[in-house]
Amino acid sequence: MTQAITFAPAALMLPALVASADERGQRRFLEFFAVTIRNTHTRRAYARAAGEFLGWCHARGVTSIAGVQPPHVAAWVEQLGREVSVPTVKQRLAGVRHLFDWLVTGQVIPTNPVASVRGPAHSVRRGKTSVLAPDEARRLLNAIDVTTPVGLRDRALIGLMVYSFARIGAALGMRVEDVFVQNRRLWVRLHEKGGKRHEMPCHHNLEEYLAAYLDGCELREDRKGPLFRTIARGTKRLSDTPLPQANAFQMVRRRAVAADIETAIGNHSFRATGITAYLKNGGTLERAATMANHASTRTTQLYDRRSDDVTLDEVERVLI
């Protein structure tokens, strides 16, 4: 049983344990998502985690938020571990922990039942993102028909992710004015997580792709408009609507099939492809971290797939 409540950032379904609380408890619950979380993806993930956990508790006889105890949390985490990946368990546990911290500071409940519950251990030295070899990335880009607006857009978007190490979210959030000239070179401005603004000069190939896209689709004058847009139905021309991330993913998979690339790539593959190619050509991990706007080189190392070549060479030594 849930109750629908609408507040400024989004609509949220109140779990039964929250709907049965007093007005102060309900308001404090909603404020956690409305006030403390600015990133829409984080808000959605935390809201899902909170809804699932509180619904799980309610189904097992817990009648109020104050009735949630550490054993409930531990049992929920144990069950989650059999259904989803470890990173997903840790993310959902973190969301629930932050929520209960917020309820404690708001004096809705006396203690945080999640504080003492340990999540599953997880250590990652190598990311799971699929990476293209340089010749595959080049083949994919060259296979795009750039005689149409959609082809110009797709080549510019993929090129941006490869050559600037841009996240898909930052790329799709760009406006036309975020492509600008500085010191006689084309630059891009990316709006990253946490409100960080990241500016980078363009590789000469990316400069060519972006210029062809802006001129071919006559976008330069619409400076406040979205840089990457959907195609208007029935016209084969760009609309004024920003390209959704799901559409970009479908486009990438479609372009990969057309270029006879068997690797199951996604939007994030180009970030890893660009970083790995940069490091293979003598770039440093520290510079790569700066270019990718990573706070730590440990994050950048997850995108470094140079060791894959060594592994393949060693495998071929097994002569039978």
Side-chain angles (χ1 to χ4, degrees):
M1 297 176 60
T2 56
Q3 175 182 342
I5 297 291
T6 303
F7 61 101
L12 184 71
M13 298 299 291
L14 278 185
L17 296 189
V18 179
S20 63
D22 60 20
E23 183 180 349
R24 186 168 64 90
Q26 292 184 16
R27 187 188 315 113
R28 187 68 178 177
F29 177 84
L30 293 175
E31 284 177 350
F32 173 71
F33 301 98
V35 176
T36 68
I37 306 173
R38 294 269 61 84
N39 185 280
T40 55
H41 298 293
T42 303
R43 181 184 295 122
R44 187 181 304 116
Y46 280 14
R48 176 182 177 181
E52 288 183 356
F53 173 64
L54 294 175
W56 185 92
C57 290
H58 182 258
R60 282 154 183 80
V62 180
T63 58
S64 67
I65 295 179
V68 177
Q69 300 297 315
H72 296 129
V73 183
W76 176 66
V77 169
E78 189 73 22
Q79 180 176 314
L80 269 184
R82 295 191 291 266
E83 300 172 353
V84 298
S85 66
V86 172
T88 301
V89 174
K90 293 178 74 68
Q91 180 204 53
R92 294 184 186 178
L93 182 60
V96 174
R97 180 179 289 115
H98 290 321
L99 168 63
F100 276 85
D101 276 341
W102 179 254
L103 295 177
V104 170
T105 58
Q107 300 181 348
V108 174
I109 54 178
T111 60
N112 184 348
V114 192
S116 60
V117 179
R118 293 185 60 183
H122 183 58
S123 177
V124 177
R125 294 186 177 181
R126 181 182 182 275
K128 295 182 179 180
T129 305
S130 300
V131 176
L132 294 176
D135 62 307
E136 288 181 306
R138 172 54 53 195
R139 187 167 81 244
L140 188 151
L141 287 165
N142 288 342
I144 298 175
D145 177 10
V146 291
T147 61
T148 64
V150 67
L152 290 170
R153 180 202 67 186
D154 293 353
R155 185 180 66 168
L157 176 56
I158 293 173
L160 176 69
M161 292 188 286
V162 170
Y163 289 113
S164 73
F165 311 163
R167 291 183 306 103
I168 183 62
L172 297 180
M174 293 177 66
R175 298 180 181 273
V176 173
E177 66 183 358
D178 291 323
V179 180
F180 60 98
V181 175
Q182 183 171 279
N183 295 330
R184 292 178 291 184
R185 285 294 301 270
L186 204 65
W187 286 58
V188 292
R189 182 185 300 111
L190 301 167
H191 301 276
E192 296 283 358
K193 295 178 180 178
K196 297 177 183 177
R197 193 175 74 171
H198 179 52
E199 296 181 349
M200 270 190 65
C202 293
H203 184 281
H204 65 274
N205 286 340
L206 177 56
E207 189 167 21
E208 176 189 339
Y209 300 160
L210 287 173
Y213 172 52
L214 291 171
D215 293 334
C217 297
E218 301 178 346
L219 294 177
R220 291 190 184 272
E221 299 305 315
D222 186 15
R223 294 179 54 77
K224 296 295 182 181
L227 179 60
F228 298 107
R229 311 171 181 211
T230 60
I231 300 299
R233 183 172 297 178
T235 67
K236 295 184 178 181
R237 299 188 64 83
L238 297 179
S239 70
D240 295 326
T241 305
L243 183 69
Q245 192 164 321
N247 292 39
F249 175 77
Q250 294 169 358
M251 176 274 290
V252 165
R253 299 302 289 267
R254 187 173 63 251
R255 294 296 184 185
V257 170
D260 293 324
I261 293 174
E262 297 182 2
T263 304
I265 60 173
N267 295 326
H268 220 53
S269 297
F270 302 110
R271 184 169 168 90
T273 297
I275 290 174
T276 300
Y278 169 78
L279 294 171
K280 280 185 175 180
N281 287 316
T284 66
L285 195 61
E286 291 72 19
R287 288 291 184 185
T290 300
M291 294 166 69
N293 201 32
H294 287 150
S296 168
T297 55
R298 284 187 293 183
T299 304
T300 313
Q301 286 176 316
L302 299 178
Y303 296 87
D304 180 6
R305 302 302 175 77
R306 290 175 294 175
S307 61
D308 289 1
D309 294 339
V310 176
T311 303
L312 289 172
D313 289 343
E314 293 304 313
V315 167
E316 292 302 323
R317 292 179 183 273
V318 183
L319 300 177
I320 297 177

